[in-house]
Amino acid sequence: MADNKIHPTAIVEAGAKLGSGISIGPYCTVGPEVTLGDGVELVSHAVVAGTTTIGARTRIFPFASIGHQPQDLKYKGEQATLLIGSDCIIREGVTMNPGTEGGGSKTVVGNGCAFLANSHVGHDCIVGNSVIFSNNVMLAGHCNVGDFVIIGGGAAVIQFARVGAHAFVGGMSGLENDLIPYGMALGNRAHLSGLNIVGLQRRGFPRDKIHDLRRAYRALFAAEGTLMERVEDVANEFRDNAAVNEILEFIRAGGKRSICTPREAGEA
């Protein structure tokens, strides 16, 4: 397009699809199966490869590696995709991999996300909207991360884990289990340490809804009965609370990992 700005040192291979208002800075490379939406900016030294689509107005900073072959030894060159939404910020050294045949052949990142320096999104992950990864976050393959999740610097999430919407994972944590929506996980290995109250307040959740979530949380992770028994008790008490029901649906849906739970008294 005539209004695109492509630096003379950049390499845009034949076949790449470019929208309008795109800026491609010095020493960037764009592969032949890449699609860049309107207003995308590659600042400099960024590489976008593979069958990758970048949504409108997303900015990619130097030395990011987007769409290269997944870090999976079972990958044999099969066709796979990486889809990144609009209005994302992808900072220096970030890596994002496409999917694999064993995981649905696609990696998907939502809109309005921020991936800070040297964070990683592994193959076959599904990442929601308005997610923030701080520096050096490591998301292994096949993970599912809900909307508005924040993951602190240096944290690692094990493959196949689910992180529910509005959850918070503290810096340097190692998350080995599924984290409920609105939950907060801390530590190595990470344990459930309450609700993400600060996040809820920042997003304008009413005080009475947060109070109900706290009551539901205490009931869900009480000592009496099994988890599924407590789920049914909470469902009966909070049947009209959408946020509580989101947590219950997350638990009922299950996954390949157990649910992250609070640490018992006296446990190291």
Side-chain angles (χ1 to χ4, degrees):
M1 304 290 291
D3 57 347
N4 290 337
K5 299 178 181 178
I6 301 175
H7 193 275
T9 61
I11 298 174
V12 179
E13 297 191 48
K17 298 178 177 64
L18 307 184
S20 62
I22 288 172
S23 176
I24 300 177
Y27 301 103
C28 294
T29 65
V30 178
E33 298 180 351
V34 169
T35 300
L36 302 182
D38 295 346
V40 165
E41 180 182 4
L42 310 183
V43 175
S44 74
H45 298 84
V47 181
V48 185
T51 307
T52 298
T53 300
I54 310 290
R57 299 173 301 280
T58 287
R59 301 183 71 206
I60 302 179
F61 284 74
F63 307 109
S65 173
I66 308 299
H68 276 109
Q69 177 175 324
Q71 299 178 86
D72 184 344
L73 298 180
K74 299 184 297 298
Y75 180 75
K76 302 302 180 184
E78 64 267 21
Q79 181 70 18
T81 62
L82 169 63
L83 174 62
I84 299 172
S86 61
D87 300 297
C88 291
I89 298 171
I90 299 173
R91 293 304 305 248
E92 294 81 358
V94 169
T95 53
M96 295 185 181
N97 295 153
T100 65
E101 186 176 17
S105 299
K106 65 180 180 180
T107 301
V108 180
V109 172
N111 303 319
C113 298
F115 299 90
L116 303 190
N118 300 305
S119 55
H120 173 70
V121 176
H123 59 86
D124 303 294
C125 288
I126 306 296
V127 178
N129 301 311
S130 302
V131 168
I132 299 173
F133 283 17
S134 296
N135 292 22
N136 302 303
V137 167
M138 296 169 284
L139 188 67
H142 307 279
C143 292
N144 193 309
V145 178
D147 297 343
F148 296 103
V149 166
I150 298 176
I151 304 182
V157 181
I158 197 169
Q159 60 266 31
F160 295 101
R162 298 178 299 148
V163 182
H166 299 274
F168 178 85
V169 180
M172 304 297 292
S173 295
L175 184 65
E176 294 182 313
N177 300 300
D178 291 347
L179 177 58
I180 60 170
Y182 309 98
M184 179 168 61
L186 302 173
N188 185 11
R189 298 296 194 230
H191 62 280
L192 186 63
S193 60
L195 295 171
N196 182 17
I197 299 299
V198 172
L200 293 171
Q201 291 170 339
R202 286 176 176 171
R203 292 176 198 121
F205 278 70
R207 184 184 296 271
D208 62 324
K209 298 297 183 185
I210 294 176
H211 180 68
D212 282 351
L213 276 168
R214 280 176 157 155
R215 288 175 52 219
Y217 176 89
R218 287 194 291 268
L220 274 172
F221 296 101
E224 299 80 14
T226 67
L227 176 59
M228 296 314 296
E229 289 172 343
R230 297 192 297 268
V231 163
E232 296 311 312
D233 290 341
V234 170
N236 290 329
E237 184 175 356
F238 296 94
R239 60 172 53 91
D240 296 325
N241 187 303
V244 172
N245 280 299
E246 188 176 351
I247 296 174
L248 301 180
E249 290 168 9
F250 182 92
I251 295 172
R252 285 169 174 153
K256 295 195 175 184
R257 301 293 176 187
S258 301
I259 296 293
C260 188
T261 58
R263 184 169 290 168
E264 296 183 8
E267 186 179 352

